[in-house]
Amino acid sequence: MDLYQAIRERRSIRKYKPEPVPKDVILKVLEAANWAPSGMNLQQWKFYVLSGGKRDPITASYGRLTEKNYPPAGERTEQQEAFLEWAKTYGGAPHIIVATMPRDENPRRSKMHLESVAAAFQNLLLAAHAEGLGTCWMTGPLGDEAAIREALKLAADEEIVALTPLGYPDELVPEKPRQDPELKEKVVWLE
Ligand SMILES: Cc1cc2nc3c(=O)[nH]c(=O)nc-3n(C[C@H](O)[C@H](O)[C@H](O)COP(=O)(O)O)c2cc1C
């Protein structure tokens, strides 16, 4: 798939088919992530791939977090119900990938680690799309970071950056309009 097409067509997918993704395809996508640029060439990303019941503590925690901010059952809008269903199951995705970075007390180095892992994560999302897979960059679940740390048995020196469900999409999502499609305000030309 052409790179520009992948960038343009990738969408956040919130509904998945239950079929698992073959391991070699997941590895191919993670290899693309591993080719990202990184601060000081530290390649400081790490990816956890959760499948089957290993996903449960993570999906349950996002479900609880979302439910806490919503009115009780019966008083929710259709949109809230749909989002809650997504949160509770990650849209039924067969896999969840969690990206981490090294914890660093130095704010500049910490930012560098974050940027490196974010670059790798975007590679992952684009490669997944090129493979016909869906993803959704998620930081909301970090509202209950402890539950995710516990599920991954993370050491204290590792920090979670983002998560994504991974699987075959079971919905077509229209593209979101750009705020400034002609880049009149988002780009400053200094000539
Ligand atoms: C840093 C970041 C955090 C995000 N966190 C969440 C999240 O917690 N839950 C969610 O459903 N979507 C999340 N998203 C997805 C955005 O809502 C989505 O990218 C945006 O609405 C644009 O839609 P698109 O990805 O289909 O173009 C996140 C995206 C980014 C980049």
Side-chain angles (χ1 to χ4, degrees):
M1 180 184 277
D2 172 67
L3 176 64
Y4 286 92
Q5 186 191 351
I7 290 170
R8 183 71 193 261
E9 288 181 352
R10 179 216 53 81
R11 294 277 73 78
S12 293
I13 301 297
R14 298 188 175 85
K15 200 160 180 263
Y16 294 85
K17 295 179 178 157
E19 290 85 53
V21 179
K23 212 168 192 169
D24 59 323
V25 179
I26 300 181
L27 259 180
K28 192 172 172 193
V29 164
L30 291 173
E31 246 175 65
N34 200 35
W35 277 105
S38 60
M40 298 170 78
N41 191 25
L42 289 173
Q43 302 174 28
Q44 54 273 72
W45 39 78
K46 193 161 171 188
F47 298 103
Y48 294 80
V49 183
L50 293 96
S51 309
K54 294 287 183 193
R55 296 164 303 165
D56 297 349
I58 292 188
T59 51
S61 105
Y62 193 37
R64 280 194 305 271
L65 268 177
T66 308
E67 206 156 21
K68 222 165 54 187
N69 294 318
Y70 279 2
E75 292 174 31
R76 296 175 196 136
T77 63
E78 213 172 290
Q79 205 183 3
Q80 286 173 329
E81 280 297 350
F83 195 87
L84 186 56
E85 184 55 28
W86 142 248
K88 278 180 175 168
T89 64
Y90 278 42
H95 312 283
I96 295 173
I97 299 181
V98 186
T100 69
M101 68 179 202
R103 191 181 294 282
D104 202 315
E105 297 312 323
N106 178 318
R108 278 194 59 214
R109 281 180 60 96
S110 182
K111 190 163 175 267
M112 175 184 76
H113 298 324
L114 179 65
E115 289 174 25
S116 305
V117 180
F121 209 63
Q122 176 69 349
N123 275 11
L124 187 166
L125 264 53
L126 291 175
H129 179 66
E131 293 299 324
L133 296 166
T135 54
C136 182
W137 189 314
M138 294 166 81
T139 52
L142 296 178
D144 184 10
E145 199 182 330
I148 305 170
R149 297 192 70 86
E150 170 61 26
L152 303 180
K153 303 272 176 269
L154 279 194
D157 61 358
E158 216 174 329
E159 239 182 285
I160 302 165
V161 175
L163 304 79
T164 178
L166 182 82
Y168 297 99
D170 199 16
E171 64 173 354
L172 274 175
V173 179
E175 63 182 32
K176 309 254 169 71
R178 297 296 96 187
Q179 286 171 11
D180 178 19
E182 283 161 26
L183 299 176
K184 293 217 164 91
E185 276 147 36
K186 291 203 183 277
V187 178
V188 180
W189 301 88
L190 300 172
E191 294 172 311

